[in-house]
Amino acid sequence: MSDIPYRDVDVQGEKPGGRLMEESYLGEKFSIWSWLTTTDHKRIGILYLLSTTLFFFIGGAAATLIRLELFTPAGDLLTDDGYNKVFTLHGVVMVWFFLVPVIPSVLGNFLIPLMLGAKDLAFPRLNLMSWYLNIIGGGFAVWAMLAGGVDTGWTFYTPYSTAFANSHVSLTAIGVFISGFSTIATGVNMIVTVHTMRPPGMGWFRMPLFVWAIYATSLIMLLSTPVLAMVLTLLVTERLLGLGIFDPNRGGDPILFQHLFWFYSHPAVYIMILPGMGVVTEVITCFSRRRVFGYAAMVYALLAIAVIGFFVWGHHMFTSGQSMYASLTFSFLSFIVAVPSAIKVFNWIATMYRGQITFEASMLYAMGFVGLFTMGGLTGLFLASVPVDLHLHDTYFVVAHFHYIMVGGMVSAFFAGLHFWWPKITGRLYPETAAQIAALLMFFGFNLTFFPQYILGNIGMPRRYHAYPDAFQVWHVLSSAGAVILAAAYLMPLGYLVWSLIWGKRAPSNPWRASGLEWETDSPPPKHNFLTNPTIEGSVYDYHPAQEPRREPADD
Amino acid sequence: MGEIEIVLPAASSAAVSTDGKLVGLLIISGLITLLVTCLIGLFAVRYRRGSEASRDRLPNWFAHDLETVWTLATVGLFVAIFAWAASQDFALAVPPEESVEIHVVGKQWMWKAEHPGGQREINELHVPAEETVELVLNSQDVIHSFYVPAFRLKQDVVPGHTTRMRFHTEKIGTYRLFCAEYCGTQHSAMIGRVVVMAKEDYADWLTRQPEGDDLKEDGKKLFVAKGCAGCHYGSSKVRAPRLAGVYGSQVPLSDGRLVTADDAYIRDSILQPKRDVVAGFEPIMPSFAGALTEGELVSLTAYIRSLAVTETNR
Ligand code: HEM
Ligand SMILES: [Cu+2]
């Protein structure tokens, strides 16, 4: 093998025009130490890619156990405590160590400076610290798991978590607490970068929508995560020091916990979807070869979601005994927050209108995203209707609702982005057909896994049940069968992407002929991103002159 | 594999109206999903790269008017759905003329019910058909949630709070009862059934229950056994208010407030006696939090309530 991976052996020292080549960021130094102490946003992005992938497979293993257990009505595979620990682990790991960091910290890290034509993020060392905090937090969670697990559910409801659970609640809470600081640090870094490092000529309304999405997400991270830190601190205080905060036997109020928790966690669900929306916008415009439809509306929709998202938390508490007027207010606001989401869906579709569409794997994922996000959002309206939620709350309907958005939406968007920018990140092209097959398989497996859960919820199957009545089995069997397909589909990219690192074709700097500054530099980019300062010409998404699409595909 | 279940029986009047909303939402969201899928599919085929379809310049209205129209349309649609759903809440919020009140206590991992006549059952609840039933729910440990899918209703049962769940039964039958709020190890075993019976059958059923002590009789015994009587009764040396006639009356407190002695007040006075001290008395009563089970509290309250009617002082 004459090819040494990662090193641009076949480029000349000099390019035509006398420009001096710089080593790519991957080829600069090879030692593990150089990676662990790097402050290069691109390398930190790769570190995050490795850690989130690891957590994804830990969470995925837990999901596999859940689905295996639920294959039969009797609780036979795991003990009841075992089952409770497995679903808790699944939720905790997937939410805080996969979904929250995955797009902002992997793709955002790698791309935000590139998209802004900058050399790095505003605070490179803070960026590295974010990764370490995330790993340390994850370490605590894994430690808790190895030490015997935790069984409260990812929502840690009191007084169960503070006065009754005998598992490693504090350890897990501390892990999540620490990772929260990682989230906050990333948020601060992104906000400052976007504010101060935009190149001349790139006004706010000329930024790529991915940058906008990460910006909006970062605002939520910065404002909501401290509340998580607070509520976890109170929880650990009550549990370890016996102070009465949530436990009624010590003078506390369990409902207070729910208010604080959801005041963080509802905004947090938007942390887990806005970045995906950003990715999908880039992908759909590129493969439709069209300017995004309604740029300004897309921006305002992101910001509206970020702001209104802070005022809907009570829709998780309709059955808690909260006053009817509070419930109706939260219900109304939840309907309102769905409006900007709907606008985004329409705009993505309108972007495809009169395009020149091709179906690379990223585009398949993005189209899947739009459909599945729509279904997730619409079922959110069921849950936002108070009387309907009294029936569906805490059933599998809710489980299906959020998996449609977080897996069908966010995970699809992550795969869309990973494939889209893979050539930029690694300098290699992935095998297209294999990727397209994986995307289709994932879509099919996903629907088979989660659609039956809507039906289950509707016929009354509560969530977090280790054993269930026989009458529900058919739907559980379908769901478990889908999970097998889904698992296989998730393993495929692991195979062919790793394969492409060694045997994949070398990627040109702009393999998709996409717009955006990140495509103006080499693949993989040199250490300092750009050899010459990139120039901003025209607007983002310059796929065709304004109002006039290209007629000939050959013009692209 | 059990029989396939896809339609739930609708056994309460709420179930009927909730099903209306559910079907409505299903149709609306089905249509929107269909629209979205068809448009994506249509554009994907029609505007695939190199196809013949026209890519002419977009008409001007496309960019501006279209956006306004679909934004307003979604706002209108969503607000309409909200209002439709909310109307049901208002309808249900009207208190019934009369209702059968049943006390239910949730604890890890069972449901205990006590009927007004003192009949008790575990993990089962018998109720009369075509009646309004009001459950008074308390938890002895963690949060549980009383969920009857056939009624389309659930209500969290929260320790330290008393919650209520009201339903009007319609169809006779036996229905599933679940705990819907995760409550620990045997959460999935905290299940049971709700039996809706014809009124005569219910009355009959009540009489066939073992002669359980009537709630207030129970409470009376507890009143002595737990030491309440030592201060609150007869010729005790300690000065504490007599309880006859208290229930339902206005009680002046030492800080000048005037409160109505209802269930919540009685309960608080037992659990947190220092909070509301009756005017003219010293705050010497100890708290009974932890010393009484939820069931015992319910019985004591019932006993004190009965004192309001049976004896009248002064
Ligand atoms: C279109 C806007 C949305 C609306 C109207 C909506 C509505 C709701 C409502 C009312 C609930 C509470 C259901 C219940 O517990 O009974 C809920 C639960 C949930 N939603 Fe959404 N939702 C929306 C979007 C999202 C998004 C974007 C995400 C995630 C990325 C998400 C994730 C979740 C999660 C994780 C839960 C369940 C939390 C738990 O109990 O464990 N939702 N949603
Ligand atoms: Cu929410």
Side-chain angles (χ1 to χ4, degrees):
Chain A
M1 232 177 40
S2 62
D3 259 0
I4 304 170
Y6 296 139
R7 199 199 284 262
D8 285 323
V9 283
D10 45 7
V11 278
Q12 319 292 311
E14 233 165 83
K15 269 200 167 173
R19 204 153 57 112
L20 214 69
M21 281 305 297
E22 194 183 300
E23 197 76 71
S24 96
Y25 80 101
L26 290 166
E28 201 220 353
K29 275 187 191 139
F30 292 101
S31 72
I32 300 272
W33 184 245
S34 75
W35 277 85
L36 292 180
T37 56
T38 182
T39 53
D40 180 345
H41 67 102
K42 300 183 288 305
R43 286 191 164 206
I44 296 173
I46 303 277
L47 291 177
Y48 264 115
L49 178 60
L50 295 175
S51 60
T52 46
T53 305
L54 176 71
F55 286 122
F56 183 66
F57 282 100
I58 295 177
T64 312
L65 283 175
I66 296 175
R67 284 315 328 163
L68 280 174
E69 170 63 74
L70 295 179
F71 195 80
T72 55
D76 35 21
L77 180 72
L78 299 161
T79 61
D80 36 19
D81 276 329
Y83 179 80
N84 298 343
K85 286 174 180 174
V86 167
F87 78 67
T88 304
L89 174 81
H90 170 69
V92 168
V93 167
M94 285 301 200
V95 166
W96 283 298
F97 300 100
F98 177 72
L99 284 166
V100 167
V102 71
I103 292 186
S105 297
V106 178
L107 299 175
N109 233 323
F110 199 95
L111 293 163
I112 294 291
L114 288 171
M115 287 182 166
L116 297 179
K119 283 194 170 52
D120 208 314
L121 285 176
F123 307 119
R125 276 173 302 209
L126 182 67
N127 195 15
L128 182 64
M129 194 180 90
S130 296
W131 185 73
Y132 277 104
L133 286 174
N134 185 272
I135 293 302
I136 295 170
F140 271 90
V142 172
W143 177 16
M145 170 181 91
L146 296 177
V150 55
D151 72 335
T152 59
W154 79 281
T155 46
F156 295 113
Y157 268 23
T158 55
Y160 183 70
S161 61
T162 53
F164 290 85
N166 292 318
S167 51
H168 295 274
V169 182
S170 304
L171 208 55
T172 314
I174 291 171
V176 173
F177 177 85
I178 296 174
S179 82
F181 284 92
S182 154
T183 311
I184 295 174
T186 303
V188 171
N189 219 338
M190 296 294 174
I191 291 175
V192 175
T193 305
V194 172
H195 271 272
T196 63
M197 298 175 71
R198 278 172 295 120
M202 188 184 281
W204 282 93
F205 280 77
R206 300 180 78 173
M207 297 197 307
L209 284 162
F210 179 72
V211 178
W212 265 114
I214 295 291
Y215 179 76
T217 308
S218 302
L219 290 177
I220 307 178
M221 287 173 162
L222 189 63
L223 296 175
S224 71
T225 319
V227 181
L228 174 69
M230 216 170 85
V231 67
L232 291 175
T233 308
L234 294 176
L235 185 139
V236 173
T237 311
E238 172 162 301
R239 196 175 159 83
L240 297 183
L241 307 181
L243 239 62
I245 300 163
F246 305 123
D247 178 3
N249 284 333
R250 287 176 269 184
D253 183 358
I255 299 293
L256 172 65
F257 176 87
Q258 299 182 13
H259 280 292
L260 293 173
F261 182 81
W262 291 114
F263 187 80
Y264 158 77
S265 279
H266 186 84
V269 305
Y270 289 112
I271 296 179
M272 297 180 245
I273 193 67
L274 295 188
M277 296 174 162
V279 169
V280 163
T281 310
E282 301 299 316
V283 171
I284 290 185
T285 49
C286 173
F287 295 110
S288 307
R289 317 226 65 82
R290 293 218 26 112
R291 287 162 181 266
V292 68
F293 181 84
Y295 177 95
M298 292 298 245
V299 172
Y300 291 128
L302 285 169
L303 294 175
I305 293 174
V307 172
I308 305 171
F310 274 95
F311 303 101
V312 303
W313 78 91
H315 66 207
H316 296 268
M317 298 167 60
F318 290 156
T319 63
S320 69
Q322 117 186 317
S323 101
M324 183 185 90
Y325 296 100
S327 287
L328 289 180
T329 310
F330 286 121
S331 165
F332 180 74
L333 290 168
S334 307
F335 276 94
I336 295 302
V337 79
V339 173
S341 304
I343 293 176
K344 296 199 77 92
V345 169
F346 291 134
N347 281 15
W348 286 316
I349 296 174
T351 302
M352 292 172 66
Y353 183 60
R354 299 197 171 174
Q356 295 279 1
I357 303 172
T358 52
F359 302 98
E360 282 79 355
S362 335
M363 184 63 173
L364 295 181
Y365 282 116
M367 285 166 27
F369 172 101
V370 177
L372 300 178
F373 174 75
T374 303
M375 289 179 73
L378 285 168
T379 49
L381 298 185
F382 287 60
L383 299 171
S385 312
V386 181
V388 179
D389 186 65
L390 297 187
H391 171 37
L392 296 176
H393 172 70
D394 269 341
T395 65
Y396 265 77
F397 192 92
V398 175
V399 177
H401 155 69
F402 64 75
H403 281 88
Y404 261 74
I405 296 179
M406 304 208 290
V407 180
M410 189 67 164
V411 178
S412 298
F414 175 62
F415 277 108
L418 189 64
H419 286 82
F420 189 57
W421 285 294
W422 187 256
K424 183 56 62 188
I425 295 174
T426 64
R428 301 290 175 146
L429 296 176
Y430 63 83
E432 192 58 63
T433 315
Q436 284 165 325
I437 293 173
L440 294 176
L441 207 59
M442 230 179 263
F443 183 80
F444 176 70
F446 173 82
N447 281 298
L448 187 56
T449 309
F450 291 102
F451 197 84
Q453 299 188 0
Y454 281 130
I455 298 169
L456 269 175
N458 203 31
I459 55 178
M461 166 86 199
R463 63 194 282 207
R464 297 175 171 174
Y465 263 40
H466 170 228
Y468 56 86
D470 289 351
F472 297 153
Q473 190 180 9
V474 190
W475 309 110
H476 275 301
V477 167
L478 285 178
S479 182
S480 293
V484 175
I485 300 176
L486 197 55
Y490 283 141
L491 288 171
M492 283 182 67
L494 196 66
Y496 65 74
L497 288 180
V498 170
W499 178 91
S500 78
L501 287 180
I502 304 169
W503 293 287
K505 275 208 277 239
R506 282 185 184 288
S509 63
N510 189 358
W512 317 120
R513 281 158 302 149
S515 76
L517 294 183
E518 78 269 29
W519 302 106
E520 286 186 18
T521 186
D522 299 329
S523 303
K527 181 157 193 285
H528 294 295
N529 293 352
F530 296 94
L531 297 175
T532 50
N533 281 341
T535 46
I536 322 289
E537 288 161 10
S539 50
V540 258
Y541 310 118
D542 227 352
Y543 290 106
H544 55 90
Q547 298 296 324
E548 259 165 83
R550 297 183 180 179
R551 314 227 165 158
E552 299 302 319
D555 298 347
D556 294 342
Chain B
M1 214 175 277
E3 92 263 37
I4 301 182
E5 193 169 310
I6 187 157
V7 186
L8 261 183
S12 73
S13 51
V16 180
S17 26
T18 302
D19 278 357
K21 311 289 176 307
L22 255 171
V23 171
L25 277 162
L26 213 58
I27 293 174
I28 295 170
S29 48
L31 288 177
I32 298 180
T33 309
L34 198 70
L35 178 75
V36 166
T37 331
C38 288
L39 284 178
I40 296 180
L42 180 75
F43 292 170
V45 174
R46 196 171 152 80
Y47 299 111
R48 66 188 183 281
R49 180 187 167 95
S51 72
E52 297 288 290
S54 145
R55 264 83 159 179
D56 278 349
R57 192 193 150 101
L58 296 176
N60 273 336
W61 59 265
F62 191 85
H64 302 289
D65 304 352
L66 199 60
E67 259 187 318
T68 321
V69 167
W70 72 44
T71 305
L72 292 180
T74 4
V75 174
L77 178 67
F78 289 2
V79 170
I81 303 178
F82 162 77
W84 185 34
S87 66
Q88 185 173 335
D89 278 295
F90 282 109
L92 288 181
V94 182
E97 310 239 306
E98 57 186 70
S99 61
V100 181
E101 196 174 90
I102 301 176
H103 288 260
V104 174
V105 174
K107 54 172 282 193
Q108 285 174 328
W109 290 277
M110 62 173 78
W111 296 105
K112 290 178 163 180
E114 292 191 355
H115 293 261
Q119 296 85 344
R120 300 192 186 164
E121 36 184 347
I122 288 184
N123 290 344
E124 289 213 350
L125 180 69
H126 289 76
V127 287
E130 281 162 38
E131 282 275 4
T132 303
V133 178
E134 180 140 4
L135 302 183
V136 180
L137 300 152
N138 288 104
S139 163
Q140 200 160 308
D141 36 48
V142 302
I143 304 181
H144 304 279
S145 188
F146 194 92
Y147 177 34
V148 185
F151 293 170
R152 311 289 187 279
L153 286 176
K154 68 171 65 69
Q155 174 61 54
D156 291 2
V157 184
V158 185
H161 291 242
T162 299
T163 53
R164 288 170 176 266
M165 173 171 171
R166 190 189 305 140
F167 50 86
H168 186 86
T169 50
E170 301 234 306
K171 266 225 301 269
I172 293 174
T174 303
Y175 307 104
R176 292 200 176 93
L177 159 66
F178 292 118
C179 173
E181 181 62 60
Y182 174 68
C183 59
T185 309
Q186 292 187 46
H187 170 53
S188 58
M190 194 166 160
I191 56 179
R193 30 183 228 148
V194 173
V195 184
V196 180
M197 323 167 88
K199 276 182 202 159
E200 313 81 69
D201 295 345
Y202 175 69
D204 199 38
W205 176 86
L206 285 177
T207 59
R208 277 187 288 105
Q209 292 313 298
E211 280 293 304
D213 273 349
D214 186 62
L215 270 185
K216 63 172 196 254
E217 284 305 313
D218 237 18
K220 190 169 178 181
K221 285 186 200 138
L222 283 166
F223 197 71
V224 177
K226 295 284 173 180
C228 320
C231 299
H232 287 286
Y233 200 70
S235 58
S236 130
K237 291 198 186 69
V238 188
R239 257 176 52 80
R242 299 286 163 276
L243 300 182
V246 163
Y247 189 88
S249 70
Q250 297 281 320
V251 181
L253 300 182
S254 56
D255 58 5
R257 279 178 302 143
L258 199 63
V259 297
T260 308
D262 54 6
D263 281 17
Y265 170 80
I266 303 288
R267 184 189 169 82
D268 284 352
S269 305
I270 301 173
L271 297 179
Q272 302 170 36
K274 305 260 179 327
R275 205 167 76 182
D276 297 332
V277 177
V278 181
F281 292 90
E282 293 301 311
I284 49 171
M285 173 166 163
S287 162
F288 284 80
L292 298 170
T293 64
E294 280 300 333
E296 291 171 338
L297 267 173
V298 170
S299 308
L300 276 171
T301 314
Y303 170 62
I304 294 168
R305 196 188 303 129
S306 74
L307 294 178
V309 259
T310 51
E311 314 166 24
T312 345
N313 63 342
R314 262 163 259 153

